[in-house]
């Protein structure tokens, strides 16, 4: 990335509140054309940049460029500033999502009719009954499922139910999934509502940033070896 582009991005990445003041309307041809140039700048350069920015600093940067009064900026300094701002944005989003997740789960019993598995962390709603013995932690059930992240009241699909059923070792899954599936019966279907702490947490590079995970899971079958040889001491929580 060139120094010129980095300098331009610097102003875009400066986190600050946008001004709410009433702007002066253009009253002359010069003002109207100047207004139009600013409008074009937004649509062509700024609109699709997913970062907060400070309009005053953008204007200051334009004024400095017009006067050819750009101060020398070290590219390493810009990279550090961009990295720190990205961390701030991730932390802010992660914290906001965690608050939303905990509020959603607290209200889920009232709004969705969910049942509690782990207080404040894991809830489920049964869609279909099953039969036979409960699923144990040591089992490897054949399942069909879909999975979504709840982000700002929008559901983001991360696994489609259209995929073929799979055999899954519960010890290899996120804790909320394993805990939510234990005790299910063959043929049973549930929707699991999983707190971020029992899912993907708030770490960058993993799925979501403290998002609730919603999983619609059906137990399609259970291998005969599991039906016969499940350890008696295994955790097989009932409904």
């Amino acid at each position: 990335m060139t120094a010129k582009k980095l300098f331009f991005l610097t102003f875009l990445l400066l986190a600050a509140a946008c001004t709410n003041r009433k702007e002066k309307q253009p009253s002359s041809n010069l003002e109207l054309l100047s207004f139009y140039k600013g409008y074009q700048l937004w649509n062509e350069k700024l609109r699709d940049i997913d970062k907060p920015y400070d309009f005053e600093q953008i204007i200051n940067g334009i004024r400095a460029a017009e006067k050819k009064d750009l101060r020398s900026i070290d590219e390493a300094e810009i990279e550090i500033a961009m990295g720190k701002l990205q961390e701030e944005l991730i932390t802010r989003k992660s914290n906001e999502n965690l608050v939303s997740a905990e509020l959603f789960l607290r209200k889920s019993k009232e709004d969705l009719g969910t049942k509690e598995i782990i207080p404040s962390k894991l809830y489920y709603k049964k869609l279909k009954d099953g039969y036979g013995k409960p699923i144990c932690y040591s089992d490897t059930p054949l399942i069909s499922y879909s999975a979504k992240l709840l982000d700002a009241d929008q559901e983001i699909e991360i696994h489609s139910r259209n995929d073929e059923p799979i055999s899954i070792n519960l010890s290899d899954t996120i804790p909320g999934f394993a805990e939510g599936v234990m005790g299910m019966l063959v043929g049973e279907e549930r929707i699991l509502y999983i707190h971020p702490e029992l899912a993907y947490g708030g770490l960058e590079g993993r799925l979501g940033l403290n998002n609730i995970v919603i999983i619609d899971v059906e137990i399609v079958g259970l291998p005969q070896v599991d039906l016969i040889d499940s350890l008696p001491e295994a955790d097989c929580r009932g409904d």
Side-chain angles (χ1 to χ4, degrees):
M1 185 178 290
T2 66
K4 182 178 180 180
K5 289 182 179 179
L6 286 169
F7 184 82
F8 180 72
L9 284 174
T10 303
F11 294 112
L12 305 185
L13 297 173
L14 290 172
C18 295
T19 179
N20 291 320
R21 71 182 181 215
K22 186 176 180 180
E23 300 295 338
K24 177 185 175 183
Q25 296 300 309
S27 59
S28 68
N29 291 331
L30 177 60
E31 289 183 355
L32 180 61
L33 291 174
S34 299
F35 178 87
Y36 180 65
K37 284 296 183 181
Y39 193 88
Q40 282 185 311
L41 176 63
W42 168 265
N43 283 322
E44 295 173 5
K45 301 294 185 181
L46 306 180
R47 181 178 57 185
D48 296 328
I49 297 178
D50 187 22
K51 294 288 185 298
Y53 37 82
D54 185 330
F55 281 113
E56 294 300 325
Q57 290 297 337
I58 291 175
I59 292 171
N60 288 340
I62 293 172
R63 287 171 177 161
E66 179 190 18
K67 297 176 181 178
K68 296 182 173 52
D69 187 27
L70 299 178
R71 68 183 180 94
S72 176
I73 298 180
D74 184 85
E75 291 195 4
E77 177 187 357
I78 302 302
E79 293 291 346
I80 292 172
M82 291 173 66
K84 287 183 177 180
L85 178 58
Q86 186 68 22
E87 290 176 3
E88 292 171 7
L89 297 175
I90 289 170
T91 299
R92 184 189 309 167
K93 177 64 173 174
S94 182
N95 291 339
E96 290 173 354
N97 284 350
L98 184 58
V99 171
S100 296
E102 292 177 344
L103 177 61
F104 177 90
L105 289 175
R106 282 199 300 269
K107 296 178 63 179
S108 69
K109 293 183 72 172
E110 176 183 346
D111 295 346
L112 302 173
T114 60
K115 295 183 179 181
E116 183 180 88
I117 298 176
I118 299 177
S120 302
K121 303 295 182 184
L122 180 60
Y123 296 82
Y124 78 96
K125 184 175 183 179
K126 183 185 289 188
L127 301 182
K128 188 167 62 175
D129 290 329
Y131 59 89
K133 65 179 284 294
I135 297 297
C136 301
Y137 188 74
S138 59
D139 290 332
T140 307
L142 181 66
I143 67 169
S144 175
Y145 77 103
S146 64
K148 301 174 181 178
L149 298 177
L150 184 62
D151 184 75
D153 297 327
Q154 293 185 346
E155 294 182 354
I156 303 171
E157 186 174 70
I158 57 177
H159 182 84
S160 173
R161 187 76 178 262
N162 294 329
D163 295 342
E164 290 293 324
I166 61 171
S167 293
I168 190 165
N169 189 324
L170 296 186
S171 63
D172 294 333
T173 66
I174 58 175
F177 184 85
E179 292 287 341
V181 167
M182 279 193 297
M184 291 183 68
L185 308 176
V186 174
E188 182 178 343
E189 182 178 359
R190 290 180 179 180
I191 298 179
L192 306 176
Y193 299 91
I194 306 173
H195 188 281
E197 288 182 9
L198 298 179
Y200 302 107
L203 297 179
E204 182 183 11
R206 302 181 69 181
L207 284 174
L209 285 173
N210 274 332
N211 296 108
I212 283 179
V213 177
I214 302 173
I215 298 178
D216 184 333
V217 57
E218 179 179 0
I219 306 299
V220 177
L222 192 62
Q224 289 300 312
V225 63
D226 286 333
L227 289 170
I228 298 172
D229 298 333
S230 291
L231 297 176
E233 68 271 20
D235 188 346
C236 305
R237 183 190 308 110
D239 188 5

